[in-house]
């Protein structure tokens, strides 16, 4: 898609003013803006910008709005399904409830819950920290106290909180307090966030069951904490498995292989313990 000079400048101005745009992204955008303001030929400036953004774009490591702009300048369609944040709400307090889980990158925590019967909505975001309105990069730096997490709204007539907790244990390495799988850092540690005494009791009993199973050689470090403000991440990071299916499958495959290996070791350990 070829942009006019006015269209390009308008898009770039908005990105520069966007609080979520990274400093490095701002620098290359400002360079392009300055060049566009002094020269009439748009194509060389946009081509140069595309070349600078390309390495991060290929690794899907641009911030959301900049990633959309990159697709626009290379002529690729923006096929992201827009997450309807207004629908992520409890409408029937008699039969709906919510649960919050931190289990590493939220990219891989959505699909396992969202595809189960009884799940009404799954929202990716941050919780457990001390900074208001944290950005993706702020949380990524590990300085806000937040962890990446998912907030799950579910129909209690179709699925129970206990079943959600059981699913959760199948998705994480409960012995790793330095992150999860390939995601390393304080913001990726596993935590079950409970919103009342009933959820705490279920989570505590479930954790004790995991500890007592003898399946793990290392201590179970998964925390259980009260819920706090949940800050949704922007649309670009919602429902990653739908927007980036190939990359999601690669990440999911890696996690599944690790967990399968861990479970096999656990089964051998448990069987050996019984025989002795």
């Amino acid at each position: 898609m070829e942009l006019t000079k006015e269209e390009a400048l308008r898009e770039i101005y908005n990105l520069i003013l966007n609080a979520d745009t990274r400093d490095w992204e701002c620098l290359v955008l400002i360079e392009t803006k300055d060049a566009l303001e002094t020269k009439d030929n748009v194509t060389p400036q946009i081509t140069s910008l595309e070349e600078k953004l390309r390495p991060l774009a290929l690794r899907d490591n641009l911030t959301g709005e900049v990633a959309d702009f990159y697709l626009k300048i290379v002529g690729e369609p923006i096929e992201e399904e827009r997450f309807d944040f207004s629908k992520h709400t409890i409408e029937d307090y008699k039969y709906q409830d919510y649960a919050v889980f931190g289990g590493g990158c939220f990219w891989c925590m959505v699909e396992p819950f969202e595809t189960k019967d009884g799940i009404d909505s799954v929202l990716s975001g941050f919780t457990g920290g001390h900074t208001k309105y944290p950005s993706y990069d702020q949380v990524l730096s590990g300085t806000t106290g937040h962890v990446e997490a998912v907030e799950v709204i579910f129909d209690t007539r179709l699925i129970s909180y206990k079943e959600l907790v059981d699913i959760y244990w199948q998705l994480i390495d409960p012995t790793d307090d330095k992150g999860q799988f390939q995601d390393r850092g304080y913001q990726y540690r596993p935590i079950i966030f409970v919103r009342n005494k009933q959820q705490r009791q279920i989570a505590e009993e479930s954790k004790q069951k995991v500890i007592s199973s003898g399946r793990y050689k290392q201590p179970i470090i998964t925390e259980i904490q009260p819920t706090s403000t949940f800050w949704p991440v922007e649309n670009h990071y919602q429902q990653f498995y739908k927007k980036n299916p190939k990359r999601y499958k690669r990440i999911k495959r890696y996690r599944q292989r690790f967990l399968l290996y861990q479970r096999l070791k656990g089964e051998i350990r448990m069987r050996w313990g019984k025989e002795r």
Side-chain angles (χ1 to χ4, degrees), residues 147-166:
V147 296
E148 293 195 10
V150 290
E151 184 177 79
V152 182
I153 295 179
F154 61 101
D155 188 325
T156 57
R157 294 169 294 186
L158 300 175
I159 192 168
S160 67
Y161 179 72
K162 181 181 182 302
E163 289 175 296
L164 295 182
V165 175
D166 289 342

Side-chain angles (χ1 to χ4, degrees), residues 55-227:
L56 290 180
L58 292 175
R59 296 197 298 272
D60 194 29
N61 201 26
L62 294 172
T63 51
E65 299 298 329
V66 177
D68 287 348
F69 181 62
Y70 179 84
L71 291 177
K72 184 178 291 186
I73 64 178
V74 297
E76 294 185 16
I78 301 174
E79 298 179 346
E80 287 193 354
E81 180 179 342
R82 308 302 293 182
F83 187 89
D84 190 347
F85 291 93
S86 67
K87 291 185 177 180
H88 185 81
T89 183
I90 292 181
E91 298 179 348
D92 188 341
Y93 284 91
K94 184 176 180 180
Y95 295 116
Q96 283 183 303
D97 201 352
Y98 71 88
V100 181
F101 301 103
C105 179
F106 43 49
W107 284 352
C108 290
M109 292 289 289
V110 175
E111 183 257 356
F113 288 110
E114 192 170 73
T115 52
K116 295 291 187 296
D117 290 339
I119 302 301
D120 295 324
S121 180
V122 181
L123 181 67
S124 297
F126 316 111
T127 192
H130 50 75
T131 301
K132 292 184 178 181
Y133 305 102
S135 68
Y136 182 83
D137 277 10
Q138 284 178 318
V139 176
L140 193 65
S141 72
T143 59
T144 69
H146 294 88
V147 296
E148 293 195 10
V150 290
E151 184 177 79
V152 182
I153 295 179
F154 61 101
D155 188 325
T156 57
R157 294 169 294 186
L158 300 175
I159 192 168
S160 67
Y161 179 72
K162 181 181 182 302
E163 289 175 296
L164 295 182
V165 175
D166 289 342
I167 293 170
Y168 172 75
W169 290 118
Q170 297 172 34
L171 304 176
I172 67 163
D173 175 5
T175 68
D176 189 354
D177 64 349
K178 300 295 190 299
Q180 286 289 287
F181 311 102
Q182 74 273 26
D183 300 311
R184 314 313 300 161
Y186 184 83
Q187 69 275 20
Y188 297 121
R189 67 195 192 282
I191 303 176
I192 301 175
F193 294 92
V194 294
R195 75 177 198 86
N196 53 35
K197 291 181 179 179
Q198 182 183 22
Q199 285 193 357
R200 176 172 288 280
Q201 181 179 350
I202 292 171
E204 294 282 7
E205 290 175 354
S206 183
K207 179 178 177 179
Q208 187 55 53
K209 185 178 179 181
V210 173
I211 295 172
S212 301
S213 70
R215 186 181 300 275
Y216 298 95
K217 184 178 180 180
Q218 301 299 323
I220 304 300
I221 55 78
T222 302
E223 301 174 46
I224 298 174
Q225 294 185 10
T227 55

Side-chain angles (χ1 to χ4, degrees), residues 224-235:
I224 298 174
Q225 294 185 10
T227 55
S228 58
T229 302
F230 191 92
W231 303 99
V233 71
E234 62 185 287
N235 176 77

